[in-house]
Amino acid sequence: QRKTQAKPKKRTQAERYAKTRRNIVDATVTCIDSFGFPKTTMQRVAHKADCTVGAVQHHFPSKSELLAAVLEDGFRNMSFELEHVLFVDKSLTERVALFIDHCWLHFKKPAFQANIHILLGMRAESPKALDAWMLGPLSDITLQGRKMWLKVFNDVNISEEEHMEMLYFVFSAMSG
């Protein structure tokens, strides 16, 4: 009796779409890490993601949308990691140390370095383009960052403005 090998399950359109999108975001991080932000082009990303430029543009109609996806992905990964750190019943000193240790682990990864290069590269954008970023992707990321920070340090009796200054200080100090 001959055994037949099972055919691999055909992926759905949604699964193929998600996989291609994931490959493009990962390829963008790799390109920024390898070539730097200014030399990361849609063509390089497409080549690294093993797809066409048209496929990249289908998923991300503009470079800004692609870069926003990289930023959002990086922040989502960092948030996920921090969500699994046990801050409950820790002293303030212990929570600060845990927060910084986990951020530091994340900051050393190519994805975070790509995020820093994207943010620094945005300085050359027009004021109108920066305004769109500040109201769009960066606004969402900033809001999520505030929620994450306040979840960990909500018992520290300082104003929300001072909380945000502390958060920005931590990220600025770690990113150089």
Side-chain angles (χ1 to χ4, degrees), residues 6-138:
K7 288 184 181 180
K9 181 184 172 196
K10 186 176 178 180
R11 294 182 299 161
T12 66
Q13 175 66 25
E15 289 169 331
R16 291 191 307 273
Y17 183 90
K19 176 70 172 151
T20 301
R21 189 175 171 90
R22 172 85 261 146
N23 288 346
I24 293 168
V25 169
D26 291 345
T28 303
V29 168
T30 300
C31 287
I32 292 171
D33 190 45
S34 299
F35 306 112
F37 177 73
K39 293 183 180 177
T40 295
T41 63
M42 296 290 245
Q43 291 79 10
R44 280 193 164 144
V45 169
H47 178 72
K48 188 69 180 169
D50 197 27
C51 66
T52 65
V53 173
V56 174
Q57 291 172 334
H58 173 74
H59 289 272
F60 303 99
S62 70
K63 189 173 181 180
S64 292
E65 289 178 60
L66 174 57
L67 299 176
V70 172
L71 287 171
E72 290 167 356
D73 188 62
F75 183 80
R76 189 173 29 260
N77 290 338
M78 184 176 166
S79 295
F80 179 80
E81 291 170 12
L82 282 170
E83 284 291 326
H84 293 86
V85 176
L86 296 176
F87 291 105
V88 178
D89 297 328
K90 303 280 191 228
S91 70
L92 179 59
T93 303
E94 291 170 317
R95 285 180 287 152
V96 168
L98 280 170
F99 187 86
I100 290 174
D101 286 347
H102 279 24
C103 288
W104 187 247
L105 290 173
H106 182 75
F107 288 0
K108 293 190 285 185
K109 295 177 182 177
F112 180 79
Q113 293 303 311
N115 286 352
I116 292 297
H117 288 287
I118 291 168
L119 294 171
L120 291 174
M122 287 173 41
R123 295 180 303 180
E125 296 293 323
S126 70
K128 185 177 179 180
L130 282 175
D131 285 347
W133 270 79
M134 295 307 284
L135 294 173
L138 289 182

